[in-house]
Amino acid sequence: MQPSTLIVVPAEHFTDAAADWIAQRIRAIVAERGRCALAVAGGSTPRPVYERLAARAVPWPAVHIYFGDERRVPPDHADSNYRMVREALLDRVEAGSAHRLNGEASDADAAARAYEALLPAQLDLLVLGMGRDGHTASLFPGSPILAEEGRRRVVAVDGPVGTPARLTLTPLAIREARQRVVLVAGADKADTLARVVGASVEPRVWPVQLALDGVWIVDAAAAVGLPKPG
Ligand code: 6PG
């Protein structure tokens, strides 16, 4: 099933196109609501996008930044999403506020619940990525959280074998966001993206399908396996 909105751009334009789209969306949200609750993704794809976003005309004091997920490491750890976002964005802008997930907490469930308490009722814009296994945030294929119908919005989960455990938004929190934008780039994502879009909707297999009703900004290298428009 195709994303609601699919924007395919040449690989060399992906970073600027994604930064421009997010900047204009934040401006529109702030113009409409007076503020923007923005949740950001970790990983490597969004880093250069955040760096460009930091230089765009955005009403940063009205932007309140949250995290879609975090590895259970200290905020200065090389694997920390907060560290990446701080270096690429937070240190370069004066955001109204920024709320990191307490990845280093010894009681992960308490940290997850504490974050739930500070999340707004609805995120205005949720930035997500897509792993090569089709995960998004830290919702991995087959994760029990994908089958739960509870009211939790942030939970502690295990990562893939050999990777840190995580804290992550739940499918409910992802669905509750007013808008989702998924950033996918690189030839190494092409096979997964073709399978995610070509498959029936089964988020337990392809968790990133939780964001199909969002805007997907994809570079041409990742889009090679998608049906051609028209
Ligand atoms: C994380 C991210 C994760 C990421 C995907 C894609 O904590 O790693 O939140 O969901 O978006 O793994 O990562 P890349 O952009 O590095 O391919």
Side-chain angles (χ1 to χ4, degrees), residues 22 32 114 123 144 162 209 212:
I22 293 171
E32 182 186 338
L123 293 164
Q209 290 182 331
L212 279 173

Side-chain angles (χ1 to χ4, degrees), residues 107-193:
D107 185 338
D109 185 56
R113 291 178 185 278
Y115 205 75
E116 278 182 345
L118 65 79
L119 273 178
Q122 263 190 305
L123 293 164
D124 292 305
L125 183 60
L126 171 57
V127 181
L128 293 168
M130 184 192 80
R132 288 175 59 188
D133 59 358
H135 81 261
T136 196
S138 286
L139 301 172
F140 293 90
S143 168
I145 191 64
L146 294 165
E148 284 183 22
E149 295 298 323
R151 295 298 302 160
R152 293 297 300 273
R153 300 168 74 215
V154 182
V155 292
V157 295
D158 293 330
V161 172
T163 71
R166 293 32 177 12
L167 296 170
T168 184
L169 293 183
T170 63
L172 174 65
I174 290 174
R175 284 195 295 266
E176 283 180 337
R178 286 194 174 92
Q179 185 166 31
R180 287 147 291 279
V181 57
V182 183
L183 307 180
V184 185
D188 65 329
K189 299 286 177 72
D191 178 59
T192 303
L193 185 61

Side-chain angles (χ1 to χ4, degrees), residues 27-104:
R27 289 195 295 269
I29 291 167
V30 172
E32 182 186 338
R33 302 187 187 122
R35 58 187 290 137
C36 175
L38 169 72
V40 293
S44 57
T45 303
R47 183 176 190 129
V49 177
Y50 299 153
E51 290 168 350
R52 299 287 170 81
L53 182 62
R56 293 297 192 274
V58 169
W60 289 109
V63 182
H64 301 276
I65 297 173
Y66 300 85
F67 286 75
D69 68 330
E70 184 56 276
R71 291 80 178 275
R72 288 196 49 208
V73 295
D76 58 354
H77 191 283
D79 287 347
S80 167
N81 286 339
Y82 174 78
R83 175 174 167 178
M84 181 275 283
V85 175
R86 180 180 57 74
E87 292 172 349
L89 181 62
L90 300 180
D91 283 352
R92 303 170 186 229
V93 301
E94 291 295 327
S97 66
H99 307 272
R100 72 177 184 90
L101 276 153
N102 187 357
E104 71 275 23

